[in-house]
Amino acid sequence: MNGLLHQIASGIASGAIYASVALALVMIYQATHHVNFAQGEMATLSTFVALTLIHAGVPFWGAFVLTILLSFALGVVVERILMRPMMNAPVLSSVGVFIGLLLVINALDGWIFGFTIKSFPSPFHAAHPLLGGYVSPHEIGETGLTVVVLTLVWLFFRYTTLGLAMRAAAYNPVSARLCGVRVNRMLGLGWGLAAAIGAAAGIMVAPVVFLDPNMMSGILLYAFAGALLGGIDSPLGAVIGGFVVGVLENLFGAYVVGTELKLTVALMIIVAVLLARPAGLFGRAVQSRV
Amino acid sequence: MPPLLEARGLTAGYGETNVLHGIDFAVEEGGVTALLGANGAGKTTTLRALCGMIRRGGEIAFAGQRIERAATEDIVRRGVGHVPDGRGTFMELTVEENLRLGAYTRRDRAGVAADIARLFDYFPRLRERLRQQAGTLSGGEQQMLAIARALLVRPRLLLLDEPSFGLAPLIVRDIFHILRRINTEERMSILVVEQNASLALDLADHAYLLETGRIVVSGTAAAIRQDEAVRRSYLGY
Amino acid sequence: MDADRTVSSGRFGLTQALGMGAFLAVMVGFAFIADSYHLFQLTMVVAYAVAVLGLTLLTGYTGQISLGQGAFFAIGSYSTAILMANYDWPYWATLPVAAAVSALVGFLIGFPALRLGGLYLALTTFALAVSVPQILKVNALSDFTGGVQGLTMDKAEAPFGLPLTGDQWIYLFSLGVGCLMFLLAWNLTRGRTGRAMMAVREQAVAAEAMGVGLAALKIRTFAVSAMITGIGGALSAIAVQFVAPDSFNFFLSITLFVGLVVGGVDSIPGALFGGAFIEFIPNIANDISKAAPGAIYGAILIGFMFALPRGVGGGVMAMLRRARRRPLPEVR
Ligand SMILES: Nc1ncnc2c1ncn2[C@@H]1O[C@H](COP(=O)(O)OP(=O)(O)O)[C@@H](O)[C@H]1O
Ligand SMILES: [Mg+2]
């Protein structure tokens, strides 16, 4: 029983990470109908930057904020340089570019920062065990911070004019232009925001899984699964999907198949759910192409 | 006084095919100009070309400035409100959010609030549906929303693409009545595209007749309405 | 609509036949001038080209995205390896089995694919790609699969006392099998079936209207695609004489996908270019930068997509069309 509670708690903690990355994927998907396969690698690069700043003596939260800002800029630049020229290219070619970007960033990470696994400091500590010791201080802090980030993103899209314009540009770019919205700029902002959210997720997960150039590849896959599970066109669904995948993954790893096969089994379950609900749990039922 | 909008030798098309083959027309300040023509004549294409939504060539002057190279967003910001083909409703957003988007380029909050209040005068239905998803509105309500959204830009020229399309005759009459009021009360210049020629000619003071990308007839609305030959061969009523 | 024009390899004119003949003659000629290392590389080009060809049918023609084609490659490889290493089968006899096993798995994957389009299918196939190496490592199967260590096979030799080295022979053998596969694919994609496959890609509704048995067509394409890619895997196993789970991680699937897009998604000859890209570009990247070859590879890929968004196949077709002053169809 205690073990179960512990597994669920750490499932929620990793779910928070998947939820963030899933949201980043969905944001870009809604705006461009592309899945950014390089989202995870961009987050890993950000995490390396954060670690470098921390080692250079910048306090943790200073490094955090600085990294978020730099990642935002990275997202904007990537959209401007790589994605905009591909706007009218066939979808599969864009996937080719995403894969290329993934490889480039992954290799640069290894080249600049090395392939060895690095530990990453956690900003969350506690003098006494919390909640009966079922969860570590880092898990609590990390989940809390993620929830704060996700809430801020939601408030931004829901209540600000800029957030509204970004949603409009994603839903209906032609009409948005006719309202005077600079759609290309909104796409850039969306990429920046997605990169910033991914960076926060990377910094939060690094103390748990340790940092190396491939840190995010498994996480990206879980996040992708979470996004599809919740519905690729539903940001809220993606967040919930991310949490569900996190809990499922932990329970299966602990009790059913062991860590070796857990990724496979988690994905199989998700595929099974999708077969029952092809649009995802919260997605709009689009007329499926058979 | 030069016209508010003047197009000279306007060409436009999609991909490598040309749809407009060099047309000339003008819209007078404060007037209503109608662009008529059968389905597929190129009316929608003309409006898209004016707003820079497709590939185009030739000259377009708006309020004394050339806009044939400007981006859609900038043309809108210079004062062109466009109610597009298919109405362009943001289906997933609420009516209120649709209206807020119409006023996106404006910073005068008080002015926007006053404009919205005045628009509710024209379209009382929108006030009742403010929090509703725009996709759930009826066709007529969506048309009203589209017109309101375009007016919130505070345009000097309003482009309307088949405002009667797919609507019941009574609703169409309402909408054209409101358009007449907007023209007189707000002194709004209008370029309206219609397949329903008799309706448009009643509203307009000038009209052009488009056939496969070329202007074949132009003149005052009254003259065109009375020209038996034109009526029979082109307007079909 | 002019249907013949949209089927890229619809007509087989005299020029094309001569071109093909000359190309084949050159390929065969390589067997007698290249050293054994380069022959091995060329054999791998053929194996990868065949694997990409399977993906071309599935993703290029019917528009079903597979990010897990490496799984079929692995299944073909392991079928051959298990039969050769554990049961002493001759290499050539393993090919039909590899083909059948891969086709069967493809057939089974085809069923969920009926309900899952687009990204969902991408995820499903990706899951397959992730799970295959994990399954190959499972202890319970290690008597069979060799577990993490994998399996080693003997080198194939030229039959009938032909005066050829093993490398020369395997290269020519692979080339022959590859030709068969390309002929099969070409035959499949021309005419009615080809149009129906592309109708599936463009719009399922239209395909229904054409009277295409959509479900059957999709599943069949999956099976054929898996079979061809599986044969590619079998050829590579014969050439490498070794299989291990880690050679079939999801990166292989990504690599095959890259081969598809650089070759041109719906271009059958493009698959050959894709195979060459997969085999040679990593080496070239390594020559350019020992420190970060992945970055060079990625940069080459991105540059390639910028220059030829439709891949080599699409680029060549566009050039031919321009030469004949035909407008490009609007494609998105
Ligand atoms: N998005 C498009 N892509 C390609 N051709 C188009 C597109 N829209 C319209 N056309 C073509 O342009 C011509 C004029 O269309 P349009 O301007 O919509 O006519 P109208 O509005 O007068 O009915 C038609 O032949 C139509 O087929
Ligand atoms: Mg029209």
Side-chain angles (χ1 to χ4, degrees):
Chain A
M1 189 59 210
N2 292 355
L4 180 68
L5 282 179
H6 178 73
Q7 288 303 332
I8 291 179
S10 33
I12 290 176
S14 31
I17 302 299
Y18 305 154
S20 302
V21 179
L23 179 67
L25 290 177
V26 165
M27 279 172 51
I28 289 185
Y29 179 79
Q30 283 197 317
T32 61
H33 291 268
H34 287 306
V35 171
N36 179 9
F37 290 99
Q39 196 79 59
E41 308 305 310
M42 289 169 63
T44 307
L45 176 60
S46 300
T47 311
F48 272 115
V49 170
L51 187 65
T52 308
L53 289 172
I54 291 170
H55 283 171
V58 181
F60 185 92
W61 292 111
F64 183 83
V65 172
L66 217 58
T67 304
I68 300 288
L69 294 177
L70 286 172
S71 307
F72 183 90
L74 172 71
V76 173
V77 169
V78 165
E79 193 277 336
R80 187 68 194 84
I81 295 181
L82 291 185
M83 298 329 293
R84 204 170 297 173
M86 295 298 288
M87 201 124 65
N88 295 316
V91 176
L92 293 179
S93 314
S94 304
V95 178
V97 173
F98 285 121
I99 292 175
L101 181 62
L102 183 159
L103 296 173
V104 169
I105 297 181
N106 186 287
L108 287 182
D109 281 346
W111 184 41
I112 300 172
F113 305 104
F115 288 98
T116 53
I117 292 172
K118 296 177 171 55
S119 69
F120 196 98
S122 165
F124 306 111
H125 309 283
H128 307 286
L130 299 167
L131 301 179
Y134 290 127
V135 283
S136 70
H138 181 80
E139 283 172 336
I140 295 179
E142 171 244 291
T143 311
L145 185 100
T146 307
V147 170
V148 168
V149 169
L150 296 180
T151 310
L152 284 178
V153 171
W154 179 75
L155 290 173
F156 169 74
F157 278 112
R158 180 74 183 73
Y159 290 106
T160 68
T161 304
L162 188 57
L164 176 64
M166 286 173 71
R167 279 191 290 153
Y171 285 136
N172 192 337
V174 175
S175 283
R177 286 209 171 85
L178 291 180
C179 292
V181 175
R182 298 196 189 283
V183 170
N184 286 342
R185 209 173 283 175
M186 297 302 134
L187 286 182
L189 282 180
W191 270 80
L193 211 51
I197 294 171
I203 296 174
M204 285 297 112
V205 81
V208 183
V209 300
F210 300 106
L211 177 57
D212 76 291
N214 298 317
M215 176 179 80
M216 293 299 276
S217 37
I219 292 171
L220 181 77
L221 195 53
Y222 285 123
F224 183 31
L228 289 179
L229 185 65
I232 189 79
D233 53 5
S234 158
L236 180 65
V239 168
I240 296 174
F243 278 103
V244 171
V245 170
V247 173
L248 272 185
E249 172 227 7
N250 259 275
L251 291 182
F252 272 92
Y255 297 111
V256 188
V257 291
T259 44
E260 265 294 279
L261 283 178
K262 72 176 181 178
L263 183 61
T264 308
V265 173
L267 290 175
M268 292 303 166
I269 292 176
I270 290 156
V271 168
V273 172
L274 287 175
L275 281 172
R277 280 191 63 94
L281 298 175
F282 300 90
R284 272 169 298 150
V286 189
Q287 190 60 46
S288 90
R289 309 219 309 172
V290 181
Chain B
M1 208 174 72
L4 177 61
L5 176 85
E6 188 168 17
R8 262 194 245 118
L10 181 64
T11 58
Y14 307 89
E16 290 177 23
T17 45
N18 269 342
V19 171
L20 299 183
H21 310 285
I23 61 175
D24 305 316
F25 64 93
V27 178
E28 299 296 334
E29 180 105 54
V32 178
T33 302
L35 192 59
L36 309 175
N39 199 6
K43 306 183 295 296
T44 297
T45 303
T46 307
L47 295 194
R48 286 184 183 147
L50 289 179
C51 285
M53 298 157 76
I54 52 173
R55 177 177 62 73
R56 66 217 194 274
E59 288 178 17
I60 311 171
F62 174 70
Q65 281 179 309
R66 297 279 288 271
I67 57 166
E68 70 267 7
R69 285 176 192 285
T72 304
E73 299 93 300
D74 294 312
I75 294 174
V76 170
R77 281 160 194 259
R78 285 188 197 180
V80 178
H82 189 157
V83 181
D85 182 48
R87 302 176 192 126
T89 312
F90 296 98
M91 302 285 184
E92 299 86 350
L93 304 180
T94 64
V95 170
E96 186 180 15
E97 287 170 329
N98 269 269
L99 293 174
R100 270 169 67 199
L101 282 165
Y104 174 74
T105 53
R106 294 171 58 181
R107 295 288 165 260
D108 55 325
R109 280 164 175 260
V112 172
D115 281 358
I116 289 185
R118 214 157 26 80
L119 285 170
F120 284 157
D121 223 35
Y122 292 118
F123 308 112
R125 296 267 271 289
L126 294 183
R127 193 204 314 263
E128 297 158 25
R129 309 242 183 279
L130 220 44
R131 311 237 166 246
Q132 205 165 312
Q133 249 203 345
T136 66
L137 297 184
S138 72
E141 288 164 349
Q142 282 191 32
Q143 190 64 58
M144 295 175 193
L145 177 59
I147 295 172
R149 209 181 59 218
L151 286 173
L152 276 172
V153 176
R154 272 251 162 122
R156 292 182 62 182
L157 171 67
L158 184 63
L159 308 182
L160 294 157
D161 198 336
E162 300 215 34
S164 75
F165 187 81
L167 302 182
L170 274 180
I171 311 241
V172 171
R173 210 190 56 192
D174 270 4
I175 286 183
F176 272 77
H177 181 66
I178 293 167
L179 290 176
R180 160 67 62 212
R181 277 179 62 200
I182 289 171
N183 171 241
T184 47
E185 291 170 23
E186 320 257 321
R187 326 222 309 127
M188 180 67 62
S189 316
I190 295 179
L191 173 62
V192 60
V193 154
E194 261 301 337
Q195 259 194 79
N196 184 335
S198 87
L199 203 60
L201 287 174
D202 284 341
L203 179 68
D205 33 53
H206 270 82
Y208 294 85
L209 215 154
L210 203 57
E211 195 181 50
T212 55
R214 293 195 170 77
I215 285 179
V216 286
V217 176
S218 71
T220 65
I224 289 180
R225 212 175 321 150
Q226 271 143 30
D227 189 328
E228 277 292 320
V230 167
R231 235 171 67 176
R232 236 180 259 127
S233 46
Y234 293 111
L235 305 180
Y237 71 95
Chain C
M1 200 176 73
D2 182 358
D4 273 338
R5 202 199 312 164
T6 52
V7 180
S8 52
S9 43
R11 296 253 170 76
F12 209 76
L14 185 65
T15 8
Q16 268 167 304
L18 285 177
M20 286 287 290
F23 178 75
L24 261 181
V26 171
M27 290 296 280
V28 169
F30 276 135
F32 303 98
I33 51 173
D35 59 26
S36 68
Y37 173 66
H38 287 110
L39 275 179
F40 171 74
Q41 285 190 320
L42 286 173
T43 309
M44 290 308 288
V45 168
V46 174
Y48 285 134
V50 170
V52 171
L53 179 66
L55 195 52
T56 304
L57 290 181
L58 185 66
T59 303
Y61 277 83
T62 60
Q64 309 187 82
I65 299 181
S66 166
L67 290 181
Q69 208 69 6
F72 302 128
F73 194 85
I75 289 166
S77 288
Y78 261 86
S79 302
T80 287
I82 289 171
L83 290 173
M84 283 177 72
N86 298 347
Y87 302 97
D88 291 326
W89 281 38
Y91 63 91
W92 50 267
T94 66
L95 285 187
V97 180
V101 175
S102 316
L104 181 70
V105 176
F107 181 75
L108 294 177
I109 298 291
F111 278 98
L114 282 181
R115 289 210 57 186
L116 298 173
L119 288 171
Y120 300 93
L121 185 58
L123 177 70
T124 313
T125 48
F126 199 81
L128 185 72
V130 171
S131 37
V132 162
Q134 292 189 348
I135 293 168
L136 291 173
K137 281 183 199 168
V138 167
N139 267 333
L141 297 175
S142 63
D143 281 350
F144 226 24
T145 59
V148 186
Q149 254 79 55
L151 296 167
T152 310
M153 295 97 82
D154 291 334
K155 186 163 189 163
E157 279 170 21
F160 321 121
L162 287 177
L164 295 170
T165 67
D167 296 312
Q168 284 174 319
W169 169 246
I170 283 306
Y171 169 63
L172 289 173
F173 175 77
S174 304
L175 197 58
V177 174
C179 282
L180 276 179
M181 293 300 120
F182 273 80
L183 276 177
L184 173 72
W186 174 69
N187 205 29
L188 210 63
T189 52
R190 61 202 261 267
R192 220 180 101 74
T193 318
R195 280 201 294 278
M197 286 165 84
M198 280 184 288
V200 171
R201 179 185 64 191
E202 300 309 337
Q203 188 127 56
V205 187
E208 295 274 34
M210 282 171 64
V212 178
L214 206 57
L217 183 69
K218 274 190 166 184
I219 292 186
R220 211 166 62 202
T221 309
F222 242 105
V224 172
S225 158
M227 180 194 83
I228 295 181
T229 300
I231 292 208
L235 292 178
S236 97
I238 294 168
V240 183
Q241 301 165 51
F242 172 69
V243 294
D246 286 333
S247 343
F248 303 103
N249 59 18
F250 81 86
F251 191 75
L252 173 65
S253 296
I254 300 272
T255 305
L256 292 179
F257 189 85
V258 167
L260 173 75
V261 291
V262 300
V265 294
D266 53 3
S267 163
I268 286 184
L272 193 62
F273 183 86
F277 191 96
I278 292 173
E279 177 61 26
F280 292 121
I281 297 298
N283 293 341
I284 293 174
N286 213 12
D287 288 345
I288 296 176
S289 161
K290 290 267 180 306
I296 304 293
Y297 182 80
I300 292 176
L301 173 59
I302 293 174
F304 206 94
M305 290 290 93
F306 270 55
L308 287 172
R310 279 156 206 288
V312 170
V316 170
M317 288 303 289
M319 253 164 53
L320 289 179
R321 278 214 191 79
R322 220 168 293 145
R324 294 187 210 144
R325 293 235 154 266
R326 274 179 174 175
L328 262 176
E330 279 288 299
V331 188
R332 238 216 71 99

